[in-house]
């Protein structure tokens, strides 16, 4: 309501204007209530919320932010965020960059950062910065929570995993050393039976079997991922060691065609013994009188299905030998039982000049032992 007095012709007049402002009052009340509601939410939020001007100066902070930083609202408001002395010196450059990037791209930016709390301890924060622009005004809203406990738990898990990996590598190393000792013992024993060529051969075969397993353990502790080895690398090493053991010079050539294949230890051990048996046989029997020849090893996979082919272009398996039912020697019997262990199949290609074995298998699943 407004009242005004005026004169006209020596007479006094009053004008009263009455306006109904009920609507205005209602809007004011709604605004006040809404402001109170958001203020309460802001104050009660367990996550910290900080409002920063585009110049980097703090405009408002909620109690969670005061608690986390360990300073009162009065100490914080009006200060530039980089001058708060709460960030580790090494992080300042990155924080500054993040803030400029946010202003440039006008987006939300989520990252993990560190602050030094009032006791001088590092705390990890998961922070989300959002830019809010209204006309020519702008703010940055920083919302975040303390993830220090989670960070420390993560570090602990990582370091315990690392410890276990080191331990496993150590075990593989020891297993390899022990197998090498057994191989040296067999080598020593063969000097006592040097007049008996069968005994020397038996000991050399056993030595190669032990060494082919030792090589797996050696590669496991050298490999980046302790649970598997690149079997193509393994095959190259094994072939080299077998050719050396049988004193092969240049008349027999190894032909290796293997693609990079990562296999776990359950599969690698039987597979390595199997390759060692078949390649040893080719080296021993395929090329009598040191004729020239080739021994091929190929390993390829499709949809987790592996095909291993071991062949030579030598004299071929004697026709009377039924390789699935050999009684008098150990090698081919071992091959059959290793194929079973791999849940695979083995065939002999009789049309191939020389000997050609085709083995199909899948990677064995790791079986829990406890
Ligand atoms: N690649 C091959 N070429 C020609 N003959 C082979 C080949 N592989 C195996 N043989 C023949 O098959 C026989 C059986 O092989 P097997 O591996 O079972 O026994 P081994 O090599 O004589 O003895 P070990 O038990 O030490 O392996 C061999 O004695 C050999 O006569
Ligand atoms: Mg053999």
């Amino acid at each position: 309501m407004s009242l005004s007095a005026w004169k006209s012709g020596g007479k006094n007049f009053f004008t009263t204007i009455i306006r109904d402002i009920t609507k205005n009052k209602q809007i004011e009340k709604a605004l006040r209530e809404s402001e109170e509601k958001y203020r309460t939410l802001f104050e009660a939020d367990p996550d910290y919320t900080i409002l920063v001007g585009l110049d980097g100066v703090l405009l408002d902070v909620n109690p969670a932010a005061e608690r986390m930083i360990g300073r009162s609202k009065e100490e914080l408001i009006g200060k530039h965020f980089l001058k708060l002395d709460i960030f580790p010196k090494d992080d300042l450059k990155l924080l500054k960059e993040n803030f400029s990037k946010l202003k440039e791209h006008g987006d939300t930016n989520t990252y993990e950062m560190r602050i030094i709390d009032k006791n001088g301890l590092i705390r990890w924060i998961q922070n989300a910065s959002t830019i809010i622009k209204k006309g020519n005004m702008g703010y940055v809203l920083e919302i975040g929570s303390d993830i220090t406990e989670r960070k420390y738990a993560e570090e602990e898990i990582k370091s315990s995993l690392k410890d276990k990996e080191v331990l496993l590598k150590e075990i593989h190393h020891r297993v390899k050393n022990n197998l090498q000792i057994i191989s040296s013992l067999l080598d020593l024993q063969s000097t006592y039976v040097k007049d008996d060529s069968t005994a020397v051969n038996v000991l050399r075969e056993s030595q190669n079997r032990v060494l082919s397993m030792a090589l797996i353990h050696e590669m496991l502790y050298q490999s980046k991922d302790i649970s598997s080895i690149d079997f193509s690398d393994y095959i190259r090493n094994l072939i080299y060691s077998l050719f050396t053991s049988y004193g092969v010079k240049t008349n027999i050539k190894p032909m290796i065609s293997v693609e990079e294949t990562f296999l776990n230890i359950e599969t690698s051990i039987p597979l390595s013994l199997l390759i060692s048996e078949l390649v040893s046989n080719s080296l021993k029997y395929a090329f009598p009188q040191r004729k020239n020849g080739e021994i091929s090893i190929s390993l390829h996979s499709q949809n987790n299905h592996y095909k291993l082919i071991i062949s030579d272009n030598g004299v071929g398996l004697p026709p009377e030998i039924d390789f699935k039912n050999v009684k008098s020697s150990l090698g081919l019997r071992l091959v059959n039982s290793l194929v079973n262990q791999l849940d695979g199949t083995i065939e002999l290609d009789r049309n191939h000049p020389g000997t050609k074995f085709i083995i199909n298998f899948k990677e064995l699943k790791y079986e829990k032992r406890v």
Side-chain angles (χ1 to χ4, degrees), residues 151-162:
K151 267 280 176 197
Y152 285 149
E154 266 174 24
E155 307 259 304
E156 235 168 80
I157 292 171
K158 266 193 214 149
S159 96
S160 127
L161 256 178
K162 185 93 211 128

Side-chain angles (χ1 to χ4, degrees), residues 10 34-35 76 139 164 176 194 200 245-246 295 314 349 361:
S34 157
E35 153 77 18
L76 295 170
Y139 308 99
K164 294 223 165 65
K176 184 217 90 178
K194 59 177 181 300
V200 169
S245 156
Y246 286 96
I295 299 176
D349 182 354
F361 65 96

Side-chain angles (χ1 to χ4, degrees), residues 71-294:
R71 316 253 171 97
S72 70
K73 197 170 178 157
E74 291 68 37
E75 288 173 279
L76 295 170
I77 291 180
K79 287 230 173 87
H80 193 282
F81 76 100
L82 289 175
K83 303 230 165 76
L84 288 175
D85 263 350
I86 56 165
F87 299 113
K89 284 212 166 48
D90 294 347
D91 298 1
L92 289 176
K93 197 168 159 249
L94 190 71
L95 289 166
K96 209 170 157 185
E97 275 171 18
N98 278 350
F99 197 74
S100 322
K101 258 193 236 155
L102 188 73
K103 283 200 290 185
E104 262 171 51
H105 304 297
D107 218 346
T108 300
N109 194 356
T110 310
Y111 49 88
E112 290 179 358
M113 62 179 202
R114 304 183 297 171
I115 65 159
I116 304 165
D117 73 7
K118 55 176 181 286
N119 301 319
L121 298 174
I122 294 277
R123 300 209 71 82
W124 279 92
I125 309 291
Q126 171 82 45
N127 189 69
S129 311
T130 310
I131 195 149
I132 304 164
K133 281 201 169 141
K134 266 195 173 175
N136 48 10
M137 298 283 279
Y139 308 99
V140 177
L141 188 66
E142 305 279 3
I143 300 181
S145 47
D146 190 330
I147 54 161
T148 311
E149 305 296 318
R150 194 186 83 197
K151 267 280 176 197
Y152 285 149
E154 266 174 24
E155 307 259 304
E156 235 168 80
I157 292 171
K158 266 193 214 149
S159 96
S160 127
L161 256 178
K162 185 93 211 128
D163 285 354
K164 294 223 165 65
E165 206 171 274
V166 170
L167 201 67
L168 259 176
K169 285 195 174 189
E170 177 63 26
I171 290 171
H172 282 303
H173 196 171
R174 288 189 187 183
V175 171
K176 184 217 90 178
N177 284 350
N178 290 348
L179 289 171
Q180 262 177 349
I181 292 171
I182 298 174
S183 161
S184 308
L185 284 175
L186 293 171
D187 196 34
L188 267 177
Q189 279 177 310
S190 67
T191 58
Y192 293 98
V193 290
K194 59 177 181 300
D195 304 326
D196 179 348
S197 69
T198 316
V200 169
N201 276 338
V202 166
L203 287 171
R204 185 171 55 184
E205 292 291 301
S206 302
Q207 205 185 336
N208 284 337
R209 285 168 189 142
V210 168
L211 280 178
S212 67
M213 284 194 276
L215 193 56
I216 295 265
H217 290 282
E218 181 171 22
M219 289 188 69
L220 276 171
Y221 73 71
Q222 285 168 348
S223 96
K224 238 192 348 212
D225 166 14
I226 191 88
S227 61
S228 65
I229 57 166
D230 179 359
F231 211 78
S232 61
D233 266 357
Y234 174 81
I235 288 178
R236 279 182 263 275
N237 287 333
L238 177 69
I239 299 304
Y240 174 79
S241 115
L242 288 174
F243 271 59
T244 316
S245 156
Y246 286 96
V248 177
K249 296 279 166 356
T250 48
N251 62 318
I252 304 172
K253 287 202 166 53
M255 311 288 284
I256 302 175
S257 150
V258 283
E259 60 188 43
E260 194 182 61
T261 310
F262 283 88
L263 293 174
N264 60 20
I265 185 166
E266 343 290 293
T267 315
S268 301
I269 294 272
L271 199 60
S272 68
L273 285 170
L274 194 152
I275 298 173
S276 164
E277 288 308 318
L278 293 178
V279 174
S280 303
N281 277 357
S282 294
L283 286 169
K284 284 195 293 180
Y285 304 114
F287 310 104
Q289 290 102 44
R290 301 220 154 226
K291 263 178 54 191
N292 289 339
E294 280 175 11

